[in-house]
Amino acid sequence: AQSVTQLGSHVSVSEGALVLLRCNYSSSVPPYLFWYVQYPNQGLQLLLKYTSAATLVKGINGFEAEFKKSETSFHLTKPSAHMSDAAEYFCAQNFYSSASKIIFGSGTRLSIRP
Amino acid sequence: SQTIHQWPATLVQPVGSPLSLECTVEGTSNPNLYWYRQAAGRGLQLLFYSVGIGQISSEVPQNLSASRPQDRQFILSSKKLLLSDSGFYLCAWRGQKNTEAFFGQGTRLTVV
């Protein structure tokens, strides 16, 4: 079965430190992969996406992610955390077909320490 | 440009009462539509998705149902709410030429 696994339900880093949020996918063929961010009581906003072009994808707010087929991973990173990065982050996958379902990971809550 | 509207933003309903949450999309045709539920401290659970008018796929057996009476309208319903139906409900759409989904602002449902 297709699934997305996010390691760590809660990650805490200091302001200015590296942010690393982990995501692994499970499918027989490489899917399209996404990272979304959710601020409290709001919908989800797309941070970045991988659609089989460049394996290193740059997104908004200084985030980037690298697709590694050998590791079935799509980890999200940011070199220097900012207080405004505190939010919930979701990794998701789908396949480009008209009947495709979008499957989400369980989410990682990112906290930033002053 | 495309926009998605979801309402109401918050809702408090007694156990056993009916539910109707509505989601509409503007600026696109024949989108895929999705309902997700996010329980407190948990991830997003796909409840229903639709690839066209009247076509509904249910992902999880439950007390809820969905309908798509028009191309850009997606409705989540229940005849009798349970306490366990409380949560944050999100509607999303994906266009035929899009890879990603776009989300509404969500409805916070509290069943009391």
Side-chain angles (χ1 to χ4, degrees), chain B:
Chain B
S1 64
Q2 301 92 355
T3 56
I4 179 169
H5 302 281
Q6 188 180 342
W7 68 92
T10 60
L11 190 59
V12 180
Q13 292 284 98
V15 169
S17 64
L19 173 73
S20 180
L21 302 181
E22 189 162 345
C23 173
T24 60
V25 182
E26 297 177 357
T28 187
S29 297
N30 196 29
N32 286 0
L33 296 171
Y34 308 85
W35 277 111
Y36 288 87
R37 177 170 60 200
Q38 187 176 20
R42 306 175 81 174
L44 285 105
Q45 180 184 37
L46 179 61
L47 302 177
F48 302 95
Y49 71 100
S50 171
V51 299
I53 296 174
Q55 300 179 61
I56 309 295
S57 296
S58 175
E59 288 297 297
V60 183
Q62 59 209 313
N63 185 41
L64 301 169
S65 62
S67 62
R68 185 171 177 174
Q70 300 180 44
D71 181 44
R72 290 168 290 176
Q73 184 184 29
F74 205 25
I75 298 172
L76 184 69
S77 303
S78 173
K79 292 182 178 178
K80 290 184 177 182
L81 284 169
L82 307 172
L83 287 174
S84 58
D85 291 324
S86 293
F88 192 53
Y89 289 82
L90 289 157
C91 180
W93 72 274
R94 179 168 72 90
Q96 295 299 319
K97 296 184 179 180
N98 297 115
T99 55
E100 68 272 25
F102 302 92
F103 284 79
Q105 289 300 298
T107 296
R108 173 73 59 192
L109 172 66
T110 304
V111 182
V112 296

Side-chain angles (χ1 to χ4, degrees), chain A residues 32 34 36 38 40-46 49 51 88 90 94-107, chain B residues 32 34 36 38 41-44 46 49 51 59 88 90 93-106 108:
Chain A
Y32 294 153
F34 314 91
Y36 286 84
Q38 183 184 34
N41 292 313
Q42 293 188 26
L44 276 70
Q45 178 184 5
L46 183 70
K49 62 181 179 181
T51 56
E88 187 93 18
F90 291 94
N94 76 352
F95 300 89
Y96 193 60
S97 73
S98 62
S100 176
K101 299 180 292 185
I102 302 174
I103 304 300
F104 283 82
S106 55
Chain B
N32 286 0
Y34 308 85
Y36 288 87
Q38 187 176 20
R42 306 175 81 174
L44 285 105
L46 179 61
Y49 71 100
V51 299
E59 288 297 297
F88 192 53
L90 289 157
W93 72 274
R94 179 168 72 90
Q96 295 299 319
K97 296 184 179 180
N98 297 115
T99 55
E100 68 272 25
F102 302 92
F103 284 79
Q105 289 300 298
R108 173 73 59 192

